[in-house]
Amino acid sequence: MPFASIVVPAFNVETTLSATLASLLAQSFRDVEVIVVDDGSYDRTSEIAEWYTRDKRLKVVRQSNRGLAGARNTGIAHATGEIVGFCDSDDLWHPEKLAAHVDFLRANPSVGLSYSGSQLIDDAGEPTGLFQRPKTRGVTPAHLFRRNPVGNGSAPVMRRAALEDLAFRPAIEKVRDWVFDETFAQSEDIECWMRLALTTEWEVAGLRAPLTLYRVNGAGLSAGTERQLASWERMVTKLSTIDPAFIARHAPAARAYQLRYLARRAVSARDGGRARALSSRSLSTSLHPLLFEPFKTITTHTAALALDLSGPRLVTAAETALRRARNN
């Protein structure tokens, strides 16, 4: 059995899947299996995945569409490794990512969920110049709730033992356990991480290096922000049944961070009215982001106001200047 497994949910990703699989099979840590879960695709996804089975370390599992959480759960059920990583089918892994996680988890037996920083790439796979550099040590449940340092679905690598501690089987499921809650179309990842933090003794810690290449889809940045917020609120409601005192204490600040995050997505999509509304709701919900991350909060609100009042040209110029200043 391989020491590590990588689960790749795939649904109609013919344009990006090949690059994803090539990056996973090029990992310097070779004792690995890659499990592609074809989640009911009707384009060339299945054909592309099958071509890569020439490498015996890769196998394809096919199922009717169950969504992202369902595809991940199927991949977990087929995984045999002691550690299990996740990579979405439009993202890439740095060649040293898996090796770094293996070393980190071996050195830190109390960590059940590890993750890395991420470099953002565009639709064409080119670097945007932006990075996700999350907090990696001393991650408390409160910090996880507010800031989700894991960041994206291609960053985490987990211990099998932690996944087993999270597993449950609802009455409607007859085949396999769930780790991710398949009733969530969004927020299924943070719901899982929070359940780990609130119901187990496993620690959450990360690697600061940007070992994940996370693809930002510009066309969908502001799409469905209300649905995303509704899903996040449903996650909060579910967690309230697990630890009501924790949720009551930390939900206002966490909600403010979530609203700010959605506002930034709306700014990136040049949706001024939506960005301004979300940013204003964030400020009125809790001052925690303003007090603890004043620069990011003020720039988000300023960009939202400028975009709503003056249009995209001013915001584009400001973003370019900020990016240059950050890089310098």
Side-chain angles (χ1 to χ4, degrees):
M1 294 183 183
F3 182 78
S5 304
I6 306 175
V7 173
V8 184
F11 175 70
N12 289 350
V13 285
E14 62 181 7
T15 61
T16 59
L17 181 60
S18 182
T20 298
L21 298 184
S23 79
L24 299 180
L25 293 172
Q27 292 296 299
S28 62
F29 186 86
R30 306 291 291 174
D31 189 14
V32 61
E33 64 177 355
V34 178
I35 303 166
V36 181
V37 181
D38 179 6
D39 194 36
S41 299
Y42 48 82
D43 64 355
R44 295 181 57 248
T45 292
S46 182
E47 176 185 342
I48 293 168
E50 191 63 36
W51 187 89
Y52 277 92
T53 61
R54 299 178 185 187
D55 188 319
K56 300 303 181 183
R57 296 174 300 160
L58 186 142
K59 61 182 178 182
V60 181
V61 179
R62 296 178 178 83
Q63 65 181 24
S64 300
N65 184 262
R66 297 186 66 147
L68 181 57
R72 286 176 179 157
N73 286 338
T74 295
I76 293 168
H78 284 82
T80 61
E82 292 186 32
I83 67 172
V84 180
F86 302 93
C87 185
D88 290 345
S89 49
D90 55 352
D91 297 332
L92 309 173
W93 275 17
H94 186 282
E96 298 299 323
K97 177 174 169 67
L98 184 57
H101 282 279
V102 169
D103 290 344
F104 180 71
L105 290 171
R106 282 173 170 166
N108 297 275
S110 61
V111 174
L113 166 60
S114 68
Y115 54 92
S116 73
S118 297
Q119 179 180 11
L120 275 58
I121 58 177
D122 61 19
D123 289 337
E126 297 298 324
T128 66
L130 299 176
F131 294 84
Q132 292 177 343
R133 295 187 174 95
K135 179 182 177 70
T136 58
R137 298 293 188 274
V139 177
T140 65
H143 182 82
L144 188 65
F145 189 27
R146 292 192 300 261
R147 302 296 290 116
N148 185 18
V150 181
N152 62 78
S154 297
V157 178
M158 300 183 68
R159 289 187 195 277
R160 168 173 291 280
L163 294 171
E164 291 172 350
D165 286 346
L166 284 171
F168 66 101
R169 184 170 295 194
I172 60 173
E173 176 60 65
K174 306 301 180 185
V175 178
R176 46 128 172 94
D177 291 341
W178 292 8
V179 171
F180 295 92
D181 189 335
E182 296 184 30
T183 67
F184 283 80
Q186 295 174 300
S187 301
E188 79 292 331
D189 48 358
I190 183 60
E191 188 277 330
C192 185
W193 316 148
M194 286 304 303
R195 195 160 19 97
L196 179 80
L198 294 177
T199 66
T200 77
E201 297 299 319
W202 291 108
E203 296 178 8
V204 178
L207 303 167
R208 190 162 178 78
L211 301 174
T212 303
L213 280 68
Y214 175 56
R215 194 183 305 266
V216 180
N217 181 359
L221 280 174
S222 68
T225 51
E226 276 299 329
R227 290 195 304 273
Q228 187 166 353
L229 181 59
S231 183
W232 187 88
E233 292 288 1
R234 180 169 167 253
M235 180 267 296
V236 173
T237 299
K238 177 180 177 180
L239 295 177
S240 295
T241 66
I242 297 174
D243 193 335
F246 173 88
I247 296 300
R249 184 163 62 253
H250 297 289
R255 184 173 291 108
Y257 281 102
Q258 178 69 7
L259 289 164
R260 190 189 69 178
Y261 161 73
L262 295 175
R264 293 176 73 85
R265 291 182 69 89
V267 167
S268 297
R270 302 299 184 259
D271 186 347
R274 184 79 181 125
R276 183 175 181 177
L278 288 165
S279 182
S280 296
R281 287 172 66 184
S282 174
L283 290 171
S284 64
T285 297
S286 171
L287 293 179
H288 196 284
L290 180 61
L291 294 174
F292 289 90
E293 295 183 357
F295 179 77
K296 193 169 187 177
T297 302
I298 292 170
T299 54
T300 299
H301 193 63
T302 301
L305 287 173
L307 181 63
D308 191 34
L309 296 174
S310 304
R313 181 175 297 179
L314 179 62
V315 174
T316 299
E319 284 184 339
T320 300
L322 284 171
R323 185 179 297 118
R324 287 173 179 171
R326 186 185 297 114
N327 291 338
N328 291 334

